[in-house]
Amino acid sequence: MSDNGHQQNGHENVPSRQRRRFEGISSRTYEHPADRSALVALRRLSGFDTVFKALSGLLPERSLRLLFLSDSVRVSDAQFAHLNVMLRDACHILDLEKVPPMYVTQDPQPNAMCIGLDEPIIVVTTGLVELLDEEEMRAVVGHEVGHALSGHAVYRTILLFLTNLALRVAWIPLGNIAIMAIVTALREWFRKSELSADRAGLLVGQDLKASMRGLMKLAGGNHLHEMNVDAFLEQAEEYEAGGDLRDSVLKILNTLPRTHPFTTVRAAELKKWAESRDYQRIMDGHYPRRTEDKETSVSDSFRQSAASYATDVKNSKDPLMKLVSDIAGGAGDLGGRVRRGFGGFASGAPKDQTTPNDQTTPKDQPPHDSTPEDND
């Protein structure tokens, strides 16, 4: 294969535009710091090692492969040849030596996943294939190959199994609580791993606009002429900064049952990374190699993740994150914002300012600020 678009088996392997190949690239190159820290936290979860070892022996790898072999279409030169070209190309760009098998399964819901215990399997739905154009699909295939390179498939498989198991044992209170604790932790990690895989998809496609279009189509369907990427990203900005503390809590509750981050959030995160110095260094050929992985320190990775979380909290416009930042920084206006109730944490809420009425209010008289009930 080549970076400049020559033919193999009668199919073009890469687009006519030249793209960089990342020889020997380590998954650490594109993995989101939150992905690594969430995985560390997951592995430290009480009972996870026991469950992981037990499920590794119980889940039939061969059965999983036979299921897709018997009831889906395997991508090859003879079937979905254009997807086969994209798959081989993505493995070439990310230097993944063994090309994982890929299947197309009948499902109108646009989706893709990378699962498997011993070896990864990539599955895409017909709904996704029909929704995306060539360059958008290239980013998705790169996304799934990124999951394979990072070793995410095994955890994704266990998450699917445990989610199904939790539904079956929901009538057993203690059993369900134990399983859901691990499922919740797995979902938290998987949401972060999606941000990593989005980056891998960008490294493969090397077309930010195509990645943005793909995410936008996942949210709004195949009506590209009716949508606008800039307006879509503005939604992410509004979602991040809008509302008050109650909205922040609702965001958390809405996110907990999901395996994927919200699409606007993914788009904003990917755009921010594409505009960063880290991305430019990768494109210039400066990135960690897999040969160096054994020399990396887990504690160093965890410290980097913690530093990333701290930076995100500090720069976040979310009311709850701003509260956390204020508490950590000992902000002087925190007391006034608490007195004003939840409304005091609304986006753009003025800091605790003294007014003529405040100056004449006796210290032992309750403030005349509105209560949370007044704001409902």
Side-chain angles (χ1 to χ4, degrees):
M1 283 183 259
S2 168
D3 292 337
N4 56 12
H6 75 270
Q7 302 282 325
Q8 177 176 322
N9 296 328
H11 301 292
E12 186 177 295
N13 285 311
V14 296
S16 56
R17 58 185 174 80
Q18 186 174 5
R19 288 176 298 148
R20 172 174 289 279
R21 179 176 185 250
F22 305 101
E23 187 174 358
I25 189 172
S26 168
S27 61
R28 291 181 292 117
T29 303
Y30 57 82
E31 284 173 346
H32 194 285
D35 172 8
R36 293 197 296 272
S37 63
L39 191 55
V40 169
L42 173 65
R43 288 168 175 165
R44 291 182 177 181
L45 184 66
S46 176
F48 177 76
D49 285 342
T50 303
V51 172
F52 180 81
K53 291 176 182 177
L55 290 178
S56 296
L58 288 175
L59 291 176
E61 177 82 2
R62 192 172 184 83
S63 174
L64 189 65
R65 294 179 181 278
L66 287 173
L67 176 63
F68 288 109
L69 188 63
S70 64
D71 205 31
S72 300
V73 176
R74 183 168 57 191
V75 171
S76 65
D77 285 339
Q79 301 185 119
F80 289 100
H82 71 292
L83 294 181
N84 191 45
V85 170
M86 290 182 193
L87 175 63
R88 298 174 71 88
D89 170 53
C91 293
H92 174 67
I93 294 293
L94 294 181
D95 199 15
L96 186 64
E97 293 183 4
K98 188 170 183 179
V99 179
M102 183 176 181
Y103 293 88
V104 176
T105 187
Q106 172 62 30
D107 187 343
Q109 182 72 25
N111 197 14
M113 58 183 173
C114 181
I115 56 176
L117 296 177
D118 297 331
E119 295 180 356
I121 302 171
I122 295 175
V123 181
V124 297
T125 66
T126 51
L128 187 70
V129 175
E130 294 163 3
L131 176 67
L132 304 182
D133 68 24
E134 181 179 355
E135 289 302 302
E136 295 158 6
M137 193 67 198
R138 190 182 302 280
V140 169
V141 173
H143 174 112
E144 298 305 326
V145 170
H147 276 311
L149 182 58
S150 291
H152 291 162
V154 61
Y155 297 104
R156 171 63 166 166
T157 305
I158 290 176
L159 173 58
L160 288 172
F161 179 82
L162 286 179
T163 302
N164 186 46
L165 182 62
L167 294 175
R168 294 184 181 183
V169 300
W171 59 276
I172 307 176
L174 293 179
N176 187 49
I177 290 173
I179 292 174
M180 286 309 300
I182 296 177
V183 168
T184 300
L186 274 167
R187 282 176 177 161
E188 169 63 14
W189 160 75
F190 196 78
R191 286 191 294 270
K192 306 305 182 185
S193 75
E194 285 297 297
L195 302 178
S196 298
D198 283 344
R199 295 177 175 186
L202 179 58
L203 291 178
V204 168
Q206 297 173 29
D207 184 346
L208 179 61
K209 291 182 179 180
S211 294
M212 293 289 105
R213 290 198 312 268
L215 289 169
M216 192 165 60
K217 282 184 176 181
L218 289 177
N222 194 17
H223 302 279
L224 198 58
H225 62 288
E226 298 283 354
M227 297 183 284
N228 179 276
V229 171
D230 292 334
F232 187 64
L233 291 171
E234 287 176 5
Q235 290 181 223
E237 179 76 13
E238 182 179 344
Y239 173 80
E240 171 70 14
D244 56 22
L245 195 59
R246 289 169 296 189
D247 293 310
S248 298
V249 174
L250 290 174
K251 291 176 189 177
I252 295 173
L253 295 177
N254 287 339
T255 301
L256 283 177
R258 296 175 60 91
T259 56
H260 289 59
F262 293 111
T263 25
T264 57
V265 175
R266 291 172 63 182
E269 283 281 343
L270 186 60
K271 185 174 186 292
K272 182 170 65 175
W273 186 68
E275 295 172 347
S276 70
R277 176 59 182 158
D278 289 341
Y279 177 73
Q280 189 56 55
R281 283 180 56 81
I282 297 169
M283 297 306 296
D284 290 339
H286 305 294
Y287 54 84
R289 265 64 174 180
R290 291 197 287 270
T291 54
E292 305 165 356
D293 284 350
K294 292 183 179 179
E295 302 173 5
T296 60
S297 167
V298 175
S299 58
D300 287 343
S301 296
F302 193 76
R303 280 194 293 270
Q304 292 173 8
S305 302
S308 175
Y309 266 121
T311 301
D312 289 345
V313 169
K314 182 179 179 181
N315 297 331
S316 176
K317 297 178 181 179
D318 181 84
L320 180 58
M321 292 300 101
K322 292 182 74 172
L323 172 61
V324 173
S325 180
D326 285 347
I327 293 174
D333 70 320
L334 182 59
R337 294 170 71 182
V338 170
R339 287 198 307 273
R340 288 194 299 272
F342 282 102
F345 298 98
S347 175
K351 294 188 176 181
D352 192 32
Q353 298 173 347
T354 56
T355 64
N357 288 336
D358 293 330
Q359 293 172 355
T360 58
T361 300
K363 292 183 179 180
D364 58 349
Q365 181 176 341
H368 296 287
D369 297 305
S370 60
T371 64
E373 289 75 16
D374 294 330
N375 294 329
D376 287 340

